[in-house]
């Protein structure tokens, strides 16, 4: 199985790495936004932040990444870099799992609100965050 | 005592935290290692860098007696895994330190856990950190549940 793993650098990346036992034995491609503390061996893409132009460029970049890697599943712990990854992942036939960041305890991020309507599965890391997703998310544990 | 300070890898700095640590660091009693990110404040006497590599940071965390940090999800997890006491100072939207106040949400959720303390930049961070020295956080309680759930989800046809 080809698994595409996607996260912003920093805490989101640390959360994703903490789950690595879950995809041991599968072919993986990990894509992380460029930044301090990234592990070796990941594919780095430009950070997006709050810049719409950067987000548009990321959509172009991720179309190529998804088309070339042909993932069976896409897993992301956010943040906004999950948007292009999940968008193209689903269009190319992959199952998509978005895990909201553990920092969201009662609220939903904008990325989470958008992706909860698009992905195969949307999970939160606190039971108290379920209400913010209006039935579109589930809780199965957390990294913090 | 060796104190590791981190404001995470966020594109915004956290000068309010570093300013608040200045009276403590100026005494010169404790050794400070600082990952300052985009902050511009320099902590007196500290070994300060904008960023550490993952390996460098892991080494500094292992050596630290205490951590003072913003309340990012990465460091919140790491101090619990490493069993290092940590005083968290959440970033606030009103000070321009983050896009919203989700770090305050995490403060509420983690409140009561052993070895973790919470403060604001207006507090006496030295005194509050002193209460945490010698305590040891427990590992994140739901980590293995989530790993199992992801593995199970991936193997569903």
């Amino acid at each position: 199985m080809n698994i595409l793993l996607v996260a912003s650098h920093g805490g989101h990346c640390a959360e994703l790495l903490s789950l690595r036992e879950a995809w041991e034995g599968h072919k993986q491609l990990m894509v992380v936004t460029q930044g301090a503390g990234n592990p070796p061996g990941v594919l780095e893409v430009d950070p997006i932040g709050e810049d719409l132009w950067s987000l548009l460029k990321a959509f172009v970049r991720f179309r190529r990444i998804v088309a070339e890697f042909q993932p069976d599943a896409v897993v992301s712990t956010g943040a906004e870099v999950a948007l292009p990854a999940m968008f193209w992942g689903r269009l190319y036939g992959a199952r998509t799992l978005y895990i909201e960041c553990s920092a969201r305890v009662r609220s939903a991020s904008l990325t989470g609100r958008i992706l909860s309507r698009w992905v195969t599965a949307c999970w939160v890391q606190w039971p108290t965050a379920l209400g913010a997703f209006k039935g579109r998310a589930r809780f199965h544990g957390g990294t913090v | 005592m060796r104190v590791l300070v981190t404001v995470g890898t966020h594109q915004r700095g956290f000068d309010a935290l570093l300013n608040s640590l200045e009276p403590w660091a100026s005494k010169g009693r404790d050794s400070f290692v600082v990952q300052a990110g985009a902050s511009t404040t320099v902590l007196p006497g500290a070994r300060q860098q904008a960023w550490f590599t993952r390996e460098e940071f892991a080494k500094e965390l292992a050596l630290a007696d205490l951590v003072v940090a913003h309340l990012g999800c990465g460091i919140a997890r790491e101090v619990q895994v490493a069993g290092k006491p940590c005083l968290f100072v959440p970033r606030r939207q009103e000070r321009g330190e983050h896009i919203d106040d989700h770090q305050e949400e995490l403060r509420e959720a983690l409140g009561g856990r052993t070895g973790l303390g919470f403060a604001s930049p207006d507090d006496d961070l030295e005194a509050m950190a002193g209460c945490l020295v010698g305590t040891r956080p427990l590992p994140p309680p739901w980590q293995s549940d989530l790993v199992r759930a992801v593995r199970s989800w991936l193997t569903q046809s």
Side-chain angles (χ1 to χ4, degrees):
Chain A
M1 187 187 297
N2 287 0
I3 302 176
L4 180 62
L5 306 160
V6 180
S8 300
H9 73 278
H12 296 276
C13 178
E15 286 195 332
L16 193 58
L17 286 171
S18 77
L19 302 172
R20 57 183 170 265
E21 282 174 48
W23 42 80
E24 269 176 4
H26 297 288
K27 186 179 175 189
Q28 307 147 33
L29 174 62
M30 188 164 180
V31 183
V32 183
T33 57
Q34 202 165 35
N38 280 346
V42 301
L43 174 62
E44 291 192 322
V45 295
D46 290 337
I48 299 171
E50 297 150 43
D51 180 36
L52 193 58
W53 176 239
S54 297
L55 181 62
L56 290 172
K57 285 196 291 186
F59 268 87
V60 174
R61 180 83 195 270
F62 267 93
R63 180 171 191 178
R64 184 177 299 170
I65 291 169
V66 170
E68 288 177 2
F69 185 63
Q70 292 288 322
D72 299 293
V74 184
V75 180
S76 179
T77 46
E80 61 281 338
V81 70
L83 290 166
M86 297 289 173
F87 177 79
W88 291 116
R90 181 177 153 183
L91 287 189
Y92 275 78
R95 296 167 70 236
T96 46
L97 171 59
Y98 173 75
I99 304 173
E100 181 77 304
C101 176
S102 63
R104 296 288 171 175
V105 179
R106 282 183 281 105
S107 64
S109 66
L110 179 59
T111 300
R113 288 200 297 272
I114 295 168
L115 286 179
S116 66
R117 298 171 185 276
W118 178 258
V119 293
T120 313
C122 176
W123 295 358
V124 292
Q125 298 196 45
W126 298 93
T128 45
L130 288 167
F133 285 86
K134 300 181 169 60
R136 294 189 300 275
R138 293 195 171 185
F139 169 74
H140 292 289
T143 58
V144 170
Chain B
M1 182 167 67
R2 194 176 175 104
V3 183
L4 174 62
V5 180
T6 177
V7 305
T9 56
H10 199 272
Q11 64 265 37
R12 303 186 197 192
F14 196 1
D15 289 283
L17 172 57
L18 298 185
N19 284 327
S20 182
L21 286 167
E22 203 168 330
W24 178 8
S26 299
K27 292 178 183 173
R29 275 201 307 261
D30 296 310
S31 160
F32 283 81
V33 177
V34 182
Q35 177 172 271
S39 314
T40 54
T41 304
V42 177
L43 209 57
R47 185 161 68 79
Q48 182 165 332
Q49 291 177 210
W51 316 109
F52 290 103
T53 65
R54 185 165 291 274
E55 291 73 25
E56 286 170 339
F57 190 81
K59 187 178 162 193
E60 293 300 339
L61 181 60
L63 291 171
D65 298 301
L66 180 84
V67 180
V68 178
H70 83 145
L71 220 181
C73 53
I75 189 66
R77 176 188 150 66
E78 284 179 88
V79 295
Q80 291 179 94
V81 171
K84 297 290 180 177
C86 184
L87 181 64
F88 291 109
V89 180
R91 290 173 180 261
R92 294 296 303 269
Q93 182 186 25
E94 66 184 11
R95 292 192 296 260
E97 294 154 1
H98 218 308
I99 53 167
D100 58 25
D101 282 330
H102 67 265
Q103 292 202 352
E104 284 290 337
E105 288 183 30
L106 195 50
R107 169 196 186 131
E108 291 170 27
L110 296 177
R113 289 195 185 178
T114 305
L116 307 183
F118 305 91
S120 82
D122 300 328
D123 293 325
D124 181 345
L125 299 188
E126 182 180 9
M128 295 180 77
C131 300
L132 292 169
V133 174
T135 63
R136 185 179 172 86
L138 298 170
W142 298 324
Q143 170 79 27
S144 54
D145 295 332
L146 185 56
V147 171
R148 268 197 304 273
V150 174
R151 188 187 296 130
S152 170
W153 183 88
L154 286 170
T155 52
Q156 286 169 12
S157 56

